[in-house]
Amino acid sequence: MATMISSSSTVNLPMTVKTNSFSTSPSSSINSKHILPSQLPCTPTNHGLSLRYDGNPLRCRHRRSPQSTNSANFQVLASATVEPLKIMISGAPASGKGTQCELIKEKYGLVHIAAGDLLRAEIAAGSENGKRAKEHMEKGQLVPDEIVVTMVKERLSQPDSQENGWLLDGYPRSLSQATALKKYGFQPDLFILLEVPEDTLVERVVGRRLDPVTGKIYHVKYSPPETDEIAARLTKRFDDTEEKVKLRLKTHHHNVEAVLSLYEDVTVKVNGSVNKEDVFAQIDVALTNLLEQRKSALGSLAA
Ligand code: AP5
């Protein structure tokens, strides 16, 4: 498996990183034998590239030294580390995506990006995009790509998402959105699909409440508020009615297969009908395994 190096971005070390040749070309690949961190050269190679292992287990990156302005002086620093996680979570309306994202974010520190939340923020801001989005959301339809695609792409591109890894919730929801993401270079390490029977979904939607102060998701029966003060300020989403969730479900069924087909090789299906802690336990296993695989790849690099 080869790793691509570009002159300005983080290097994604795969499970087994192999190298003995580097170049400054964005399209050059790493190949041949395993790197030993102690063997990573700190002086320019004959391709004008240098690498340095800094022992930081968080990432592998390389960059031009500030004084380097031409290829002769071009210097690249690299550290063999675990790349931040890139996770997508999908499922029918009220399958528990937002609830699981709260738990994943807490444990793994990923940046949670929810397409629905970004749209609701536009609505709250009274923007033109927000007004248009609401018309579609009221009908349980997907908001047009020209509003959603750029919005999500810009959020994914921000430094916190790039540094800490991202957790994309409810996006992509159509083949065109998935294709656009791929075109912009955003590919997930894992695609989590929450599976929940339909009658459970309706009950969850109707009983859902939100805390406008903390953003926390509650349910009148399954996840009641901790205090009377919180209970008094809880709100309900405008599309959380039995009638509207049926429309949202129809839209979901219409699109889900096309999206899944693009991420088949990284999809993990999770039983979302058990309590939220048990749902999280399944996700936690998948994420832990992924990180373990990456760490052992680095271990073999250092061996
Ligand atoms: P969005 O906000 O994404 O809504 P959704 O997909 O319908 O999902 P929900 O937010 O309703 O549910 P969830 O899966 O997060 O469940 P939650 O954790 O809250 O999208 C809204 C609209 O925006 C769309 O209809 C569309 O119009 C538009 N839109 C969004 N993304 C778009 C895109 N990519 N392109 C175009 N348009 C887009 O849980 C639900 C309830 O169940 C809560 O009360 C919770 O406490 C409870 N609960 C959760 N887990 C459990 C459990 N294990 N056991 C018991 N109760 C549980």
Side-chain angles (χ1 to χ4, degrees), residues 22 51 65 80 94 105 131-132 172 175 183 193 217 257 273 299:
F22 298 93
L51 297 168
S65 62
K105 192 171 92 172
K131 285 179 196 148
R132 282 187 63 204
L175 191 58
K183 188 180 89 186
L193 178 68
I217 304 163
E257 289 305 326
S273 62

Side-chain angles (χ1 to χ4, degrees), residues 91-100 114-117 119-120 133 136-138 140-145 148 152 169-174 177 194 204-205 207-210 217-220 222-223 237 239-240 248 272-277 279:
S95 54
K97 302 182 290 296
T99 300
Q100 292 307 315
D117 288 347
L119 290 167
R120 281 183 286 277
H136 294 273
M137 291 165 83
E138 293 269 18
Q141 298 168 346
L142 292 186
V143 172
D145 281 2
V148 190
V152 172
D169 167 359
Y171 193 96
R173 284 193 206 215
S174 64
Q177 291 178 3
L194 298 179
R204 284 190 189 176
V205 158
R208 172 170 40 201
R209 300 290 183 274
L210 300 171
I217 304 163
Y218 290 95
H219 190 279
V220 289
Y222 300 114
S223 199
R237 260 170 53 178
D239 56 350
D240 271 355
R248 284 154 63 194
S273 62
V274 290
N275 70 49
K276 69 176 182 182
E277 291 78 15
V279 178

Side-chain angles (χ1 to χ4, degrees), residues 88-91 97 113-116 118-119 133 136-137 140-154 156 166 168-188 191 251-252 255-256 258-263:
M88 287 178 182
I89 186 162
S90 167
K97 302 182 290 296
I113 303 171
L118 294 176
L119 290 167
H136 294 273
M137 291 165 83
Q141 298 168 346
L142 292 186
V143 172
D145 281 2
E146 69 262 23
I147 297 176
V148 190
V149 171
T150 309
M151 199 177 72
V152 172
K153 180 194 151 214
E154 281 175 0
L156 281 169
W166 43 259
L168 195 49
D169 167 359
Y171 193 96
R173 284 193 206 215
S174 64
L175 191 58
S176 60
Q177 291 178 3
T179 312
L181 267 192
K182 196 170 176 184
K183 188 180 89 186
Y184 294 128
F186 295 107
Q187 283 290 91
F191 185 95
T251 304
H252 170 76
N255 293 295
V256 66
V259 174
L260 280 176
S261 68
L262 268 190
Y263 300 115

Side-chain angles (χ1 to χ4, degrees), residues 191-246:
F191 185 95
I192 300 167
L193 178 68
L194 298 179
E195 297 185 306
V196 179
E198 205 149 311
D199 49 350
T200 308
L201 295 172
V202 175
E203 192 196 5
R204 284 190 189 176
V205 158
V206 175
R208 172 170 40 201
R209 300 290 183 274
L210 300 171
D211 183 344
V213 175
T214 62
K216 199 172 165 192
I217 304 163
Y218 290 95
H219 190 279
V220 289
K221 182 170 164 193
Y222 300 114
S223 199
E226 297 87 352
T227 65
D228 289 346
E229 188 190 347
I230 298 173
R233 67 184 186 223
L234 294 184
T235 59
K236 209 173 161 181
R237 260 170 53 178
F238 67 85
D239 56 350
D240 271 355
T241 62
E242 190 166 343
E243 181 205 358
K244 287 196 174 115
V245 76
K246 286 189 175 151

